Amino acid sequence: SRAAFGSGGDFNADGQRSDRPDLPAQTLPTSYSRTQWMNGAIPASVFPLPNAIRNGTLPRNYFIGPGYARIDAAIAKKFKIKERFTLQYQLQASNLLNHVNISGVATSITAANFGRAASFYPMRTVQMSFKVLF
């Protein structure tokens, strides 16, 4: 039936509910900023649903995702305590610049949060350690 066909996202009747819709009639940008992805870059309403059982016309990889950038760093210093003992101090940082990295954008056309960032990678984490070597 038409209701199950359009609302389920299975446009080619293969049993999978994540099929691509048709290419929008209006011109859309192919990339968006992180802020736009967090707020919902693309509304699902701009995509027409196929009017027959077939694959949609939206090409694969038509939109460019939010990207990923991360810098990790570590520094270490050894301090000689006695002839046999050395104290090592180490500082490690992940995502040193505290860059927001989006790990998932909802891509199912029938999802309530379609086109919006669904999750994020961890922000900056810092770890210190001391080690006694002998």
Side-chain angles (χ1 to χ4, degrees):
S1 73
R2 176 77 171 111
F5 163 77
S7 65
D10 183 13
F11 306 130
N12 61 5
D14 66 353
Q16 301 297 316
R17 296 175 52 142
S18 57
D19 295 338
R20 278 177 252 157
D22 282 343
L23 192 63
Q26 65 197 44
T27 303
L28 294 175
T30 57
S31 66
Y32 296 89
S33 70
R34 284 190 316 259
T35 303
Q36 289 171 312
W37 285 117
M38 288 187 269
N39 294 328
I42 313 164
S45 61
V46 302
F47 296 99
L49 301 179
N51 56 5
I53 295 176
R54 62 174 173 80
N55 289 321
T57 59
L58 185 69
R60 184 170 189 245
N61 298 328
Y62 184 77
F63 294 101
I64 298 169
Y68 182 86
R70 176 175 153 162
I71 295 175
D72 297 339
I75 57 171
K77 174 73 175 163
K78 290 183 180 180
F79 301 95
K80 200 78 149 151
I81 298 175
K82 289 196 172 185
E83 194 171 307
R84 284 187 36 190
F85 294 99
T86 303
L87 178 67
Q88 180 181 5
Y89 169 75
Q90 188 168 18
L91 180 69
Q92 299 173 337
S94 298
N95 195 4
L96 184 64
L97 301 179
N98 214 23
H99 185 82
V100 175
N101 286 304
I102 296 170
S103 63
V105 174
T107 58
S108 175
I109 197 77
T110 57
N113 62 342
F114 172 79
R116 181 175 290 131
S119 58
F120 302 89
Y121 287 103
M123 297 304 286
R124 178 189 309 130
T125 56
V126 178
Q127 176 179 317
M128 287 190 309
S129 65
F130 289 96
K131 189 186 319 184
V132 177
L133 305 168
F134 55 95

